[in-house]
Amino acid sequence: MFEKRQVVNQTYERQFRDLPITGKEVYLHLSQRQFYCPDCDRHFNERFSFVDPKHTLTRRYERYVYECCKASTIQKISAQENLGWHTVNELCQRGARQEIDERPLSKVRVVGMDEFAIKKGHRNYATVIVDLERVDIIDILEYRDQEKLIEYFKNKGIDWCEGIEVFCSDMWQGFLNTAKTAFPNATLVVDRFHFFGYLNKALDNERKSLRRQFKDRDEFKRLKWALLKNAEDLTDDQKKKLARAFLLAPQLELIYRHKEKIRLIFDQRLTRQQGEVELNQWIEQAKKMKNKHLNNFLYMLNDWKEYVLNYFTHRFTTSVIEGINNSIKTVKRMGYGFRNFVNFKQRILISFA
């Protein structure tokens, strides 16, 4: 049997900060023993279960500071808790890494991708990758480069990539090319709301043409948002405004009614075959209008038609990612003390935990 031969070499007082009580700072003053082992000729300190080695804050207080940081800025919590900025920042980063690492891994079947501007006006984009079934952020990448995206997904492994059944994004070619290369078994779906955005642009371009042609007519002033709004959401004043404009511009009304008709087509629970029949009829009717703005939309639709029709089979959109992007903008505006992309990414991920 081994005999314990450690002896107490010295005792000294340690101070640890703990959870506040009624807003007051609380410190624990404890005697900590230093031991000496004659067999191995080394000194070592007594350890406490409630505080990490070489730390002066208790584990529960460190967790408390981290939870405060999730709902506020590092600067504000630093002042609130009377702690240094770097101390609070370190607690926040450490807590975020631990929380992210502890998340359970789930099998991903449906992937959506979208970009957001890291710095507005600098054409510097990051990529958000989302599990559209669970509405979970898979990752946030500091780039939007096609080759880098392909390499990123290849590094996730063949099984992961082959398990992706549906991919949804906007009409940026780089995303679609990435999906074709990385996900051999995936059906590609173009987001319906990005697709509708181009039709709204055609409708708005017709309005702008009328504004230039009839500069003094009040009927075409302040008309944009009424035109782009869904018909069932219009107020009585907006309905009257549209009615007056349509009396002077019948073709504007035709395009508006056609915009509403295609929206209703995609709102129905149609099969892909039924959706294709309805969409082809809509296209033929649109061609008969011979409107240059609408024709530009039809040229674009012809290029993306197969991916648009896949929506009827897999009714996924990237609308949830748009909501995530809006929240990311809030994180950017508030600052939260991040000074590099890694900190920024961690802040976003814990915000959607």
Side-chain angles (χ1 to χ4, degrees), residues 16-71:
F16 302 101
R17 186 163 176 185
D18 200 17
L19 291 173
I21 297 177
T22 64
K24 303 292 185 181
E25 295 180 18
V26 173
Y27 293 89
L28 306 178
H29 296 267
L30 301 174
S31 294
Q32 187 172 32
R33 295 171 294 178
Q34 183 189 70
F35 296 96
Y36 172 71
C37 178
D39 290 339
C40 52
D41 191 29
R42 58 183 290 267
H43 297 83
F44 55 94
N45 293 325
E46 179 181 13
R47 291 189 177 182
F48 300 115
S49 61
F50 53 85
V51 63
D52 290 326
K54 299 182 181 180
H55 285 211
T56 58
L57 309 177
T58 63
R59 287 174 179 167
R60 63 183 183 182
Y61 181 62
E62 289 183 349
R63 184 70 189 181
Y64 166 78
V65 172
Y66 168 64
E67 292 297 333
C68 289
C69 287
K70 289 171 68 173

Side-chain angles (χ1 to χ4, degrees), residues 19 22 42 46 49 72 92 112 152 160 162 171 179 199 210 215 226 252 278 297 313 321 330 345:
L19 291 173
T22 64
R42 58 183 290 267
E46 179 181 13
S49 61
S72 187
C92 183
Y152 166 82
W160 195 92
E162 290 184 347
M171 286 175 279
L199 181 55
L210 292 169
K215 295 181 180 179
L252 180 66
E278 293 282 343
F297 170 76
T313 305
I321 309 182
T330 302
K345 172 180 171 178

Side-chain angles (χ1 to χ4, degrees), residues 153-164 182-185:
F153 286 116
K154 283 184 176 179
N155 288 337
K156 293 186 81 66
I158 295 175
D159 290 342
W160 195 92
C161 291
E162 290 184 347
I164 304 304
F183 309 137
N185 301 323

